[in-house]
Amino acid sequence: LQARVALISDDPEVFPKLRSLTFVASDPLISSGLNGVVFPREAALDSLMEFRYTIKPEAFDGGDAGFDRVMIALPPGGAGAELVRTTVRGVEVAATGMLLGDSLLVELPPPLVRRDSVEITFATRVYESPTVFESFVFNSDEADNTQGVLPVAFGANQVFVPDAVAGGILVRNLAHDEIFTPNGDGANDLYRLSFTVVKTEKQPRVRVFSLDGVQVAELANGNPQGNQAQYAWDGTAASGAVPPGVYLVHISVSADAGEDAVQKLVHVAY
């Protein structure tokens, strides 16, 4: 155990002193440690896929507290993830799954797991290559005691996404409405645009222009925390509703290697 303490004072006349430092350590839930592996090891970009995460104690000790909760850290944009099934020692059990922030929490039914393997199948999307799935186990009776799961071999908790690194295009899987009718009748009133951004964490910029080059709107990303960008436009500009016609949607994304731009036409009809 190594610790570093920074002693800082805003007052030049006062020098801080460290009088004590206390560490509290809990016994591991599984004393021999836990190994994990994810399968499959390769996935398609921005595609809802099932992954199986297997956790297994290295050895059995009857004195271990055991665990009944597993938390899997999800990749950015994994908000739509869900638990598919869970098995303990190869037998499916009635586990429950819930999303907590950027993680999937799986609660296992009794008894506590001490010596058996646990397989958690869940569905999520991946955008980066490699995507690392880290996991931790808990005991509901020892809420503050957390134990990490180590990959059974180097990279065993990684999933590779070949499409995320192939080519130089930053905007992938683009979908949009070619025609929309913002007349307030409740049907097709909004223009919707979605695409996946790869190789950069910078926010894309989406602007709408008339065909004579005048900018009429700049759209805000409805999903700024994830790789899957989502936009909507109600057909208005600063001066009010735009006249019917054809408009140009310009998408630009910057990265260290340069800028990628995509343009699409959208028809506004009333």
Side-chain angles (χ1 to χ4, degrees):
L1 175 67
Q2 290 183 320
R4 174 179 293 175
V5 179
L7 302 179
I8 302 173
S9 174
D10 294 330
D11 187 345
E13 302 297 328
V14 176
F15 186 80
K17 295 181 180 180
L18 179 67
R19 301 191 182 278
S20 65
L21 186 63
T22 303
F23 295 93
V24 178
S26 302
D27 291 333
L29 300 174
I30 302 296
S31 56
S32 63
L34 293 155
N35 288 330
V37 60
V38 65
F39 182 85
R41 301 290 307 284
E42 187 172 299
L45 174 69
D46 191 15
S47 178
L48 189 63
M49 291 186 57
E50 289 188 4
F51 298 92
R52 185 176 70 248
Y53 202 107
T54 303
I55 299 173
K56 186 177 182 180
E58 291 192 12
F60 172 68
D61 187 332
D64 288 342
F67 63 92
D68 57 2
R69 293 181 178 180
V70 179
M71 180 172 286
I72 301 176
L74 299 172
E82 61 180 359
L83 177 67
V84 177
R85 74 183 66 88
T86 304
T87 66
V88 177
R89 197 171 53 186
V91 178
E92 187 167 350
V93 297
T96 59
M98 66 183 71
L99 291 176
L100 294 178
D102 57 356
S103 298
L104 175 65
L105 177 64
V106 180
E107 296 187 353
L108 306 173
L112 292 167
V113 176
R114 294 185 176 88
R115 64 187 303 173
D116 301 315
S117 63
V118 176
E119 288 188 351
I120 297 173
T121 302
F122 60 98
T124 190
R125 300 174 185 270
V126 289
Y127 302 92
E128 300 178 356
S129 188
T131 293
V132 179
F133 288 101
E134 295 183 331
S135 65
F136 308 86
V137 300
F138 305 82
N139 185 312
S140 55
D141 292 330
E142 302 180 26
D144 296 330
N145 195 357
T146 305
Q147 184 170 354
V149 178
L150 298 178
V152 66
F154 178 77
N157 60 347
Q158 298 180 1
V159 172
F160 294 91
V161 189
D163 291 343
V165 295
I169 301 175
L170 304 179
V171 176
R172 313 281 181 89
N173 299 348
L174 187 149
H176 80 126
D177 299 325
E178 296 183 357
I179 302 174
F180 78 113
T181 56
N183 54 13
D185 65 353
N188 199 29
D189 283 335
L190 289 177
Y191 167 75
R192 300 189 184 278
L193 167 72
S194 65
F195 54 87
T196 302
V197 179
V198 298
K199 301 184 180 180
T200 180
E201 295 181 356
K202 296 183 179 179
Q203 281 293 309
R205 188 180 186 188
V206 176
R207 292 172 291 171
V208 181
F209 295 87
S210 60
L211 293 185
D212 58 2
V214 177
Q215 179 176 323
V216 297
E218 183 163 353
L219 309 185
N221 188 357
N223 185 33
Q225 305 301 321
N227 293 74
Q228 190 179 54
Q230 299 175 350
Y231 298 84
W233 181 41
D234 61 1
T236 62
S239 58
V242 299
V246 181
Y247 293 84
L248 180 71
V249 179
H250 181 83
I251 305 164
S252 60
V253 184
S254 298
D256 294 337
E259 183 175 285
D260 190 14
V262 178
Q263 298 182 130
K264 291 292 183 180
L265 295 177
V266 57
H267 297 255
V268 177
Y270 294 97

